[in-house]
Amino acid sequence: IYIYHNDKSKRYKLKCILHSHTAPITSLDFSSDGSYIQSTSSEGELLVHNTEYGDVMALPSQLKSIQWATLTSIYGWPVQGPWPNCDAVAASEINVADDTCISSVYDEPISVDRSRDGKYLVACSTSGKVQLCCHPVRTTPKDLTGSTRSGLEGLGANAEFLGHSPGRNAKCRFSCDGKHVITAGREDCVVMIWAVE
């Protein structure tokens, strides 16, 4: 990750280079004051760096007061809800060797975005579901896959809908005004626009 400083003359000067990730970067968020950057990788790393010198912030106590301008990381305390609860998976589906859930058994979030007002979080999962939740998300959304309602209108938070074909390549983002969610699926080559009211 290359961090540049934009001075008053509109010239960009390299400030620091972050070499901490060992795999391709999948998301990037700046703190509201621009002092920190959080990034995730395809290997499941979540790292937070100081943008002044590029230092990794390793202690959780250093991170608790950071306010994020955007939130697109699928990892972290504010995005627990879209992740399935391992307790809900049958005992026969648990990998006893390392005591973790097998990823093919449940939905994993592959893309998230927080609304600009900070009230909602949208997530796309490997099953093709689109989830709309209150932010921060601490509980699993209610399944409304068979709902006759169109889009996300009038349902408030903690709802999920079938949106795209299953696969690992979908993205979701709120519109700038927060009135719509745009989702795009790579497997089905479909872009959907959902109304949020």
Side-chain angles (χ1 to χ4, degrees):
I1 300 172
Y2 295 85
I3 298 178
Y4 289 86
H5 174 74
N6 182 7
D7 61 19
K8 293 179 182 177
S9 64
K10 304 286 186 196
R11 294 184 185 168
Y12 292 93
K13 181 179 178 184
L14 183 63
K15 195 171 187 179
C16 60
I17 301 173
L18 313 178
H19 296 282
S20 303
H21 282 291
T22 58
I25 295 164
T26 56
S27 72
L28 196 77
D29 298 300
F30 277 95
S31 63
S32 297
D33 64 2
S35 298
Y36 301 96
I37 189 169
Q38 84 173 354
S39 53
T40 59
S41 76
S42 60
E43 286 190 351
E45 297 171 303
L46 169 61
L47 299 176
V48 177
H49 292 84
N50 178 304
T51 57
E52 186 66 30
Y53 304 106
D55 299 330
V56 174
M57 310 303 289
L59 300 173
S61 61
Q62 296 173 312
L63 310 176
K64 65 182 178 182
S65 62
I66 299 174
Q67 298 294 316
W68 297 103
T70 60
L71 183 61
T72 59
S73 170
I74 63 171
Y75 307 112
W77 288 108
V79 293
Q80 292 178 66
W83 285 92
N85 184 347
C86 284
D87 295 340
V89 179
S92 63
E93 303 295 348
I94 302 291
N95 184 338
V96 178
D98 62 2
D99 198 33
T100 59
C101 294
I102 300 170
S103 62
S104 63
V105 174
Y106 58 82
D107 292 345
E108 289 183 12
I110 51 177
S111 177
V112 301
D113 189 31
R114 185 189 63 204
S115 61
R116 304 304 174 253
D117 62 8
K119 291 181 181 178
Y120 297 107
L121 185 96
V122 65
C124 288
S125 68
T126 53
S127 68
K129 290 182 180 176
V130 177
Q131 303 172 346
L132 179 67
C133 313
C134 285
H135 178 265
V137 185
R138 300 278 160 70
T139 59
T140 304
K142 181 180 176 186
D143 186 355
L144 295 174
T145 303
S147 174
T148 56
R149 299 182 192 197
S150 61
L152 300 173
E153 297 178 18
L155 292 174
N158 300 328
E160 65 181 29
F161 302 89
L162 188 56
H164 293 279
S165 297
R168 297 208 53 84
N169 296 298
K171 291 291 182 190
C172 56
R173 293 292 182 261
F174 277 95
S175 60
C176 292
D177 62 6
K179 294 180 180 179
H180 296 88
V181 169
I182 297 94
T183 61
R186 181 176 177 183
E187 305 294 328
D188 55 16
C189 299
V190 172
V191 175
M192 295 183 179
I193 301 174
W194 307 76
V196 179
E197 293 181 1

